[in-house]
Amino acid sequence: MTKLMAGNWKMFKGPTETYAFFDAFEAPDGVDVIICPPFVSLEDAVGEEWPIYAQNVHWAAEGAFTGEISAQMLVELGVQGALVGHSERRQYFGETDETVRQRAEAALAAGLGVIACVGELEGEREAGETEAVLRRQVEVLPVHDRLVIAYEPVWAIGTGKTATPDLAQEAHAFIKSLHDTRVLYGGSVKPENAADLLAQPDIDGALVGGASLDPASFSSLCRIAASLS
Ligand code: 13P
């Protein structure tokens, strides 16, 4: 199956740096690519050749929700989807399984794609709770052909501590036993470790943070994914 490589820029790159990225970024045929810039750079990014996703989306069409953006607003801009439930939103902004479900359902109803993020904390893994946490996070998600799940063990995000390919494969197989969808791996994915991860049978692509900011490294990751698709 064609691998999907999604770049989550987090709170990096305003419009000027967004242009510079697309000037230099190249992806071969044989890989699906999605870029997730911050809200202020979406409008510039949607003119490029790759699907553009927001990093969050609200469940209401409009209303008194200061600081939030609706699915309809993203559609109007030409954005094709949104991340929901990223662990940074769960950890720092009070996101819950229930609000993740609401955001996912609203985005799908508006015609957007969704990448829903799940993953356990380090303490939860150490306590043997990984499967219980993943089950809780995954079971609230709607089953839909425009919804993809990203498994991002929180202890591997931005830490350089990648899950081993075996450990990631085990979590992906478990998630697929609960929810029939593509599952991306996220957490310190880099050109040096991507091939071993992407070669696993249930790792259908990657959600890349830091290494998606540099066009050369994200181009290289896309080439690796294409060669394994
Ligand atoms: P890093 O690739 O920087 O570890 O980030 C992963 C991530 O959170 C992608 O959403």
Side-chain angles (χ1 to χ4, degrees):
M1 200 211 279
T2 307
K3 303 276 185 196
L4 168 58
M5 299 299 280
N8 174 12
W9 288 356
K10 308 192 178 184
M11 200 172 73
F12 292 94
K13 296 191 193 294
T16 307
E17 287 183 61
T18 295
Y19 277 121
F21 175 90
F22 284 111
D23 267 351
F25 174 63
E26 291 173 341
D29 290 341
V31 59
D32 294 334
V33 175
I34 290 173
I35 307 281
C36 311
F39 283 126
V40 294
S41 298
L42 290 173
E43 189 166 7
D44 296 298
V46 291
E48 303 292 339
E49 79 181 82
W50 296 279
I52 301 301
Y53 277 31
Q55 296 173 16
N56 193 18
V57 59
H58 197 262
W59 52 84
E62 59 183 7
F65 299 106
T66 302
E68 293 283 332
I69 303 282
S70 73
Q72 287 75 3
M73 291 170 183
L74 296 175
V75 169
E76 183 178 342
L77 214 56
V79 170
Q80 293 190 28
L83 301 180
V84 299
H86 192 279
S87 65
E88 287 149 15
R89 304 253 9 126
R90 293 178 191 259
Q91 277 184 294
Y92 308 135
F93 302 101
E95 198 75 71
T96 64
D97 295 333
E98 176 55 18
T99 56
V100 173
R101 181 190 67 74
Q102 288 181 267
R103 291 180 196 276
E105 283 187 348
L108 293 167
L112 294 173
V114 168
I115 299 176
C117 307
V118 301
E120 79 287 359
L121 302 169
E122 188 155 38
E124 292 168 335
R125 176 160 285 275
E126 282 167 0
E129 293 166 6
T130 299
E131 291 200 348
V133 170
L134 293 178
R135 180 185 297 278
R136 197 191 71 222
Q137 294 177 341
V138 167
E139 281 188 344
V140 296
L141 297 173
V143 176
H144 195 287
D145 58 7
R146 274 185 274 112
L147 183 134
V148 168
I149 292 176
Y151 170 60
E152 301 205 304
V154 179
W155 46 270
I157 295 179
T159 57
K161 279 204 236 172
T162 328
T164 61
D166 285 350
L167 184 149
Q169 164 59 29
E170 192 182 1
H172 281 230
F174 179 68
I175 291 167
K176 287 190 184 189
S177 76
L178 303 171
H179 198 294
D180 181 20
T181 185
R182 269 164 138 183
V183 182
L184 313 181
Y185 171 77
S188 299
V189 174
K190 308 207 164 5
E192 306 83 70
N193 59 26
D196 287 346
L197 287 160
L198 292 169
Q200 299 300 311
D202 291 312
I203 299 188
D204 303 315
L207 179 56
V208 184
S212 74
L213 294 172
D214 171 35
S217 80
F218 198 51
S219 299
S220 157
L221 282 168
C222 290
R223 281 195 299 275
I224 292 166
S227 74
L228 291 164
S229 284

